[in-house]
Amino acid sequence: MVTKTRKTTTEERILTTAAKLFYTHGLRGVGIDQVIAESGVAKSTLYVHFRTKEELIAAYLRRTDDSWMAQLQAAAKRAGDRPADQLVGLFDALLDAFDRHGFFGCPFVSAAVETSLDSEARAITVGHTERRQRWLLEVTTQAGAADPDALARQIGLLIDGALAAGRLSQDRAVVNEAKSAARSLVVQHTV
């Protein structure tokens, strides 16, 4: 039991360190030696948990997928019981992220840009986007949108656009503008 706990704690420390570094500096901008140094583990220990940098990146992206979806869904729920309000309220997750650590862009867009088309990281990125879009489609359908597919795609584009524009401008007003645009789209599609 001690070994399992130690493994879990060490793995978590490595992943937390890698996540911070990858998010801030990009996947290519971070080497394994930097993750080892900042996490305080031996090289052999890192390789026990993650045989390659690609495995570490994949674990980071899977963890980020779960975390980001939970944040979007929690922000939507905080907006109230009406699905139309939730489609607008989910943008508060972007504001929360900006307030926590500034805008370093979307980790999934970064991964898509920095990795090859046939990589596991790219597949996880595509999976994340599909997962997010399935959830948005559920909410747009519940909101009674005339064309729930179109509204879900448009909300997804606003999320991606706000994250990309926020990275460039470092201005949280970008998210407020995306949230306002989402509000207009929801009204147009649900009237």
Side-chain angles (χ1 to χ4, degrees):
M1 191 61 151
V2 172
T3 303
K4 177 72 172 166
T5 302
R6 186 178 305 131
K7 179 179 179 191
T8 304
T9 303
T10 303
E11 187 172 318
E12 179 62 27
R13 184 168 17 129
I14 293 166
L15 263 176
T16 299
T17 301
K20 184 177 88 173
L21 292 169
F22 288 149
Y23 184 67
T24 305
H25 303 290
L27 304 178
R28 290 185 187 161
V30 176
I32 287 293
D33 289 339
Q34 187 177 7
V35 175
I36 290 166
E38 294 205 22
S39 65
V41 300
K43 185 177 271 193
S44 60
T45 301
L46 183 130
Y47 285 118
V48 164
H49 297 285
F50 305 100
R51 291 179 297 155
T52 64
K53 182 178 177 183
E54 289 72 27
E55 279 188 17
L56 179 59
I57 289 169
Y60 154 69
L61 290 171
R62 282 189 201 95
R63 179 176 144 176
T64 302
D65 174 36
D66 289 340
S67 172
W68 186 235
M69 285 301 300
Q71 290 172 57
L72 287 171
Q73 291 169 344
K77 293 229 182 285
R78 284 193 312 266
D81 294 333
R82 291 186 55 235
D85 294 337
Q86 292 175 358
L87 289 166
V88 177
L90 67 86
F91 285 87
D92 290 341
L94 281 71
L95 291 170
D96 294 344
F98 180 81
D99 291 343
R100 262 192 320 275
H101 43 63
F103 270 130
F104 291 98
C106 175
F108 300 102
V109 171
S110 295
V113 169
E114 293 186 59
T115 59
S116 64
L117 293 176
D118 62 346
S119 69
E120 184 179 9
R122 169 100 167 135
I124 294 167
T125 296
V126 169
H128 163 75
T129 302
E130 290 170 348
R131 178 181 178 197
R132 184 195 68 193
Q133 289 309 115
R134 283 191 303 273
W135 172 67
L136 288 174
L137 180 59
E138 287 176 25
V139 181
T140 59
T141 300
Q142 292 167 0
D147 187 348
D149 287 320
L151 182 56
R153 283 191 309 273
Q154 291 167 356
I155 298 290
L157 287 170
L158 286 172
I159 293 168
D160 293 339
L163 289 168
R167 168 71 187 229
L168 291 171
S169 69
Q170 292 297 304
D171 185 354
R172 76 190 311 268
V174 168
V175 177
N176 289 324
E177 291 164 5
K179 185 175 180 178
S180 178
R183 185 175 291 110
S184 296
L185 284 170
V186 169
V187 168
Q188 289 172 6
H189 281 267
T190 59
V191 170

